[in-house]
Structure formats: C-alpha cells, structure tokens
Amino acid sequence: MPADVPVTSARGVRLPYRSLPGAVQAWVEEQLGGPVVRVEDRVGGFSPGCAAVVGTAERSVFVKAVGSVPNPTSLALYRQERSRLAALPLHPALPRALAGTDLELPDQAWAVLLLPALPGEPPAHPWTEPVARLVLDRLGALQETLVAAAGSPALAALPGSDELVRFFRPWSEVLDDPSDAWHDDPWVRSRASALEEAGAQLAGALVGEVPVHADLRADNVLVGPPRVAGGEPSVWFVDWAAALRAAAWIDPVVLACDLVVSRADHRQGGTMDVAGFLASHPVTAAVPAPLRWAMMSGLAVTLHLLGRSPDPPGLPTIRAWQRRCAEDLLGFVRATDLGSGHHVW
C-alpha cells in the first residue's frame, strides 16, 4: 500500500489495465470504437481485478475486469454487479452500465463491465463533517427513489435480506471460544447479554423490500464537481455488487461505520464528534439509537471473526483491514454504550 494511503482505506492489489489479456482489451476497444490511448489505473476495494479509466481520442470509460484466477469469487461478484445494477431504478446518483460481457479464454473466464468515467474521487480518510454531511444528504435523496421502487417487478432480480442476515455473525462465537482474543475482554464479558440481544434485534431489523447497497464506504462513493455552475458537488454511489432487498435504514448506518473506521472521531485523532453528528443528521437520526449501536456492534464482531480467517486467494490485505476495522468499531461501541449511560447517541 502506498505510504500516502491511510491504513484505514480499503486497498487491495489490482491488475493494471495493460496486463489484461489481449482479448479483454480488444473487446474494450471494440466497445469504444477505437484504440485505447490513455489509461489511468485506479485503486480502492479489495478485488484482484482491474479498475481503470481508459480512453480513445474521442471518449473515456471506466473499465472493471476480473478473471477466475486467482479468486473465482471475484468473478462471480463482477457478474453479480452487472445484474444487480440493472435491476435498480434510474437516478442521477446511480451510474448505469454502458456494456458488459463474459469471455471464456483458454486459461480462465473473464467478466468485463464498462461504466461512465465520472469526474469524481472517493472521500478521503478520515472523513470530515462537511463531506459526511454532503454524502448523507445525497444518500437521503437517493433513498427516496429506492423506497418508492420497493415492490417493483424489476427488483425481483435482487436477493432478499436473508443474504445479509447470514453475513452477520453472532457474539456467541466469541463468547464460547476461549482462544478468541476478545473472549476474555472485561467489557465484552460484562456486556455479553446486551451484545447478544443487539445481534438478535439486528437480524430482525434487516428485513425489508427496499433496494440497498449494503456495502457503503468511502471507496464506493465518488464526489465530483457540480453539474451546474454554482451548484453543490456531485455525488455518485458505485459498486452495487452486494445490492439486495432489505430495510432502508441499513445504508446510512453502514456508511456511519465507515466514519468510525476512517478514524474521523476526535477520540481517534480526527476532527468529528461522530456520535453527535449521527444523532443530529436527519438521515442517521431517523434510525433509532439502539439500532445504530446494534449495527456497529454486529459489524465489529463479524469483521473480527472474518479477520481470523486465512487470506482469500489474491486478496492479501483484506484480513488485516477487517481486524483493524473491528478494533475501531469495538472501541466506538464501548464509548457509546447505551447500556452504560456514558453516551446516548
């Protein structure tokens, strides 16, 4: 990871565009209508695939491409992104796919997706309050469209909330495992019942029929120049590979978790009072405080347990990132413990 990229950022080891198989590059040039003369490889996320802005003399696109080697799950996710993005309603903050294909090459299969080359960058870690306010404002506006779409036939292509419920791991896996580093943590032991109860509350509250992103963090958001002179910056929400039908409150609170893991809070060396901000911003304040706490504690234990697993093929940085995020979330959950009365947010 480059020295100027914060350790809190999601960064894997991506394949440069010029290292893609010739057949993949040829398909991209066919879609563009001419040879690629400009390439800007991008970082962000954990996929071992390519993410790059490429252009001919006339136009540019954003290319996502991944093969079945070294990680076939990444191939499935790229294919999944195409189908799930197509099921979403139209909205200016949702970039639509321009083209996509599957290529069966002699050594492996490839999935390729072309998207608009947007003039934006992800919010920097740690988040600052003006950027967090802007992004949550725009997320709230997007949610109006997503909530209105609930129940539409197109959304049948998205899986239901069971997929998300299965993702979250119970605190019992920590509490029942003496080899776990969190097992003997005095605060975890003292709040065991509350943590398990919050997990049960979370599982029930995830259910819904609204299309949600389910993986919102800084590297899945782009902030760019205003669409009109004198207007506010543009915001786009990208990478909908995990999209599903669930409860609308999920996306704002998952994004709130990224504020924490970016170490934006003043207790982490940042500039924000994250708890106060979440309690005051209309989009996050609309989610009951115990439910926000349940999501953060649930994500903390899930990332902690995932972080104990071996590195997936081609993703050498994800486990360390998950462990780091889990520790930051647990620290925030402690500090905002509703049960202790320290900070009701």
Side-chain angles (χ1 to χ4, degrees):
M1 183 179 294
D4 59 343
V5 176
V7 295
T8 57
S9 298
R11 293 289 187 272
V13 180
R14 285 194 172 274
L15 186 69
Y17 178 79
R18 294 298 187 189
S19 297
L20 291 173
V24 175
Q25 295 187 49
W27 181 85
V28 172
E29 293 189 341
E30 179 183 350
Q31 303 305 306
L32 285 170
V36 167
V37 296
R38 300 185 310 277
V39 174
E40 298 175 21
D41 288 307
R42 297 297 175 91
V43 299
F46 294 105
S47 167
C50 168
V53 175
V54 306
T56 65
E58 286 78 31
R59 60 182 292 222
S60 297
V61 295
F62 182 62
V63 178
K64 297 183 70 172
V66 73
S68 53
V69 177
N71 191 302
T73 300
S74 296
L75 178 71
L77 286 172
Y78 274 45
R79 289 173 172 170
Q80 191 170 287
E81 182 179 359
R82 290 207 309 262
S83 62
R84 296 191 185 187
L85 186 58
L88 298 176
L90 296 175
H91 190 278
L94 294 179
R96 311 303 293 187
L98 303 173
T101 192
D102 294 318
L103 298 174
E104 293 292 336
L105 303 186
D107 58 338
Q108 60 179 305
W110 285 83
V112 193
L113 181 64
L114 302 188
L115 294 151
L118 300 169
E121 297 291 336
H125 272 197
W127 285 79
T128 61
E129 185 165 333
V131 176
R133 188 172 301 281
L134 169 70
V135 172
L136 276 170
D137 286 348
R138 299 303 175 80
L139 179 57
L142 169 60
Q143 286 193 301
E144 293 179 7
T145 296
L146 298 178
V147 168
S152 67
L155 296 183
L158 299 180
S161 55
D162 287 353
E163 187 172 295
L164 193 57
V165 172
R166 288 193 298 270
F167 169 77
F168 284 97
R169 307 272 284 273
W171 274 93
S172 59
E173 291 190 38
V174 167
L175 298 167
D176 297 341
D177 183 2
S179 70
D180 191 293
W182 287 7
H183 176 269
D184 294 322
D185 182 292
W187 183 86
V188 170
R189 302 307 303 183
S190 69
R191 302 293 290 139
S193 296
L195 291 168
E196 292 188 291
E197 182 179 340
Q201 178 193 24
L202 177 63
L206 295 174
V207 178
E209 290 298 322
V210 175
V212 300
H213 185 286
D215 194 24
L216 275 186
R217 56 181 191 247
D219 59 297
N220 289 332
V221 179
L222 295 174
V223 178
R227 290 185 173 87
V228 295
E232 289 192 334
S234 300
V235 177
W236 297 274
F237 300 94
V238 300
D239 197 352
W240 290 76
L244 40 72
R245 291 174 286 114
W249 67 269
I250 292 167
D251 280 345
V253 182
V254 170
L255 189 62
C257 292
D258 197 58
L259 302 186
V260 174
V261 303
S262 80
R263 299 174 180 168
D265 192 78
H266 55 73
R267 287 168 295 195
Q268 302 167 297
T271 60
M272 294 183 67
D273 171 10
V274 171
F277 174 76
L278 298 179
S280 64
H281 192 283
V283 174
T284 46
V287 183
L291 198 50
R292 298 199 303 268
W293 195 82
M295 170 62 84
M296 289 204 180
S297 60
L299 191 56
V301 71
T302 298
L303 292 177
H304 167 71
L305 291 166
L306 287 172
R308 299 186 69 195
S309 304
D311 290 338
L315 281 72
T317 62
I318 191 169
R319 297 306 187 209
W321 179 85
Q322 288 169 336
R323 292 192 295 271
R324 189 178 299 114
C325 290
E327 292 291 343
D328 285 342
L329 285 168
L330 182 64
F332 191 81
V333 165
R334 290 178 196 266
T336 56
D337 186 354
L338 293 167
S340 69
H342 290 163
H343 194 152
V344 176
W345 58 289

